[in-house]
Amino acid sequence: MLPLEEFTSMSPSTPPVTTVSTNPSAPVQAKGGSADLALLTANDSTGLAGEDQSNGGVVPALVKRALSASNPTLGQVNLSFIDDRDAHVETLLPRAGFALSFRWRMPDCEQPANLTPNQQLLCRDFAFSDSICTLAVSVFTNRGRAPDQAQDFGVLSAMKLCASEPANLMVLRQGGARILNENLRMTSCSSECFDLLASGEVDALVADASSVDQALLARGDAQKFEEAPWLGGLSSVHAIAFKGNQAGMTALGQLNAGLDEIKTSGEWFDVIARQLSNP
């Protein structure tokens, strides 16, 4: 589940958000006219962002509230859902007028040898916001097959692992895990990893706790698996701005200031509580 870091009801002055689902190859237009601030996100399996959710989900609601807290004169905000996340960084943020994209995990930019080409691109050309919220990263095995609790991250180097997001592996690597590419299976979702785990093709899966919860709820064999919490970790969620876009960098600074304000005031908790009670 989503650990709550730090939540006063949404202010009446909070700017309206126009939610638009778009095709990456089509021009992005805000319903009712052009937006003062154009934001990008994607539907995801964690439940943190989705076109069918109130305010676009937990992360969009936090971003919107933080921006309005630091900039009371903020006008219309246009939130577009584009599920091709590569398009966010390759074309939409650099050239299509979007200020911010979220949700992203921050790579360890000081260890470029461990990064994928896309992560290297993020480190070189994009700036990251402060943490919007934090996700727990979990390791699951078949029941009765979890490593002994006395063992540390080093045990993962001898295990066949499955993951759907490289960022989750990064959390374990930062904890000291040596994950070998020849022992790694990447899939499109946690549910596929559970299938591989159940069939014995992998020894463990690595995923954020929210997507694990959703995958297990959809299965009839959840009792076959168990978590090894001593091998998990925490991963923060961020917004990004293209360094060459001054409007985006300004919005990123306003987002950071607003996040600090709503965390200090406690409004951060209220936004999350409102979203969870009105999904």
Side-chain angles (χ1 to χ4, degrees):
M1 296 298 293
L2 175 71
L4 304 185
E5 293 174 334
E6 303 176 53
F7 199 35
T8 344
S9 62
M10 301 288 277
S11 165
S13 63
T14 300
V17 170
T18 300
T19 303
V20 185
S21 176
T22 66
N23 183 306
S25 63
V28 178
Q29 298 289 338
K31 296 177 182 177
S34 60
D36 291 339
L37 190 62
L39 307 179
L40 270 174
T41 191
N43 295 286
D44 64 43
S45 61
T46 66
L48 295 179
E51 293 172 271
D52 58 348
Q53 298 182 46
S54 172
N55 291 309
V58 170
V59 172
L62 287 169
V63 169
K64 179 185 72 167
R65 185 65 199 110
L67 286 169
S68 62
S70 66
N71 182 6
T73 63
L74 184 65
Q76 178 80 13
V77 176
N78 177 34
L79 175 62
S80 295
F81 282 81
I82 298 179
D83 292 341
D84 183 354
R85 288 166 58 84
D86 288 344
H88 289 212
V89 297
E90 292 171 359
T91 57
L92 297 174
L93 284 173
R95 296 195 291 273
F98 288 95
L100 302 174
S101 169
F102 47 86
R103 65 176 182 90
W104 294 87
R105 318 284 186 89
M106 184 186 296
D108 184 358
C109 297
E110 295 182 359
Q111 301 292 332
N114 295 330
L115 302 181
T116 66
N118 274 1
Q119 289 173 329
Q120 293 174 6
L121 173 66
L122 286 171
C123 288
R124 184 182 70 243
D125 293 345
F126 295 85
F128 284 77
S129 72
D130 295 339
S131 174
I132 300 170
C133 61
T134 301
L135 293 175
V137 175
S138 301
V139 175
F140 273 75
T141 67
N142 286 307
R143 188 166 296 281
R145 302 299 299 273
D148 188 274
Q149 292 193 37
Q151 295 180 292
D152 59 17
F153 285 107
V155 71
L156 296 174
S157 64
M159 299 176 71
K160 295 179 181 178
L161 301 179
C162 183
S164 58
E165 287 199 38
N168 291 329
L169 299 171
M170 178 187 68
V171 173
L172 302 187
R173 287 189 171 110
Q174 289 173 342
R178 183 169 176 261
I179 298 173
L180 305 179
N181 288 336
E182 57 265 32
N183 290 341
L184 180 62
R185 291 281 297 272
M186 297 299 299
T187 65
S188 62
C189 63
S190 297
S191 181
E192 292 179 13
C193 281
F194 273 114
D195 290 340
L196 294 174
L197 184 58
S199 67
E201 296 180 58
V202 298
D203 301 315
L205 72 84
V206 181
D208 64 73
S210 294
S211 63
V212 164
D213 288 347
Q214 293 200 8
L216 288 176
L217 283 172
R219 301 183 67 92
D221 59 354
Q223 72 283 353
K224 292 182 179 180
F225 312 106
E226 65 178 332
E227 185 179 2
W230 57 95
L231 295 177
L234 295 176
S235 174
S236 56
V237 172
H238 303 263
I240 60 171
F242 182 60
K243 291 178 180 178
N245 180 350
Q246 187 55 52
M249 293 299 291
T250 298
L252 196 73
Q254 293 174 341
L255 174 60
N256 287 340
L259 286 169
D260 184 64
E261 182 175 335
I262 66 174
K263 288 179 181 180
T264 300
S265 70
E267 189 171 359
W268 190 95
F269 290 106
D270 287 344
V271 174
I272 292 180
R274 180 182 292 271
Q275 288 300 126
L276 295 180
S277 64
N278 184 31

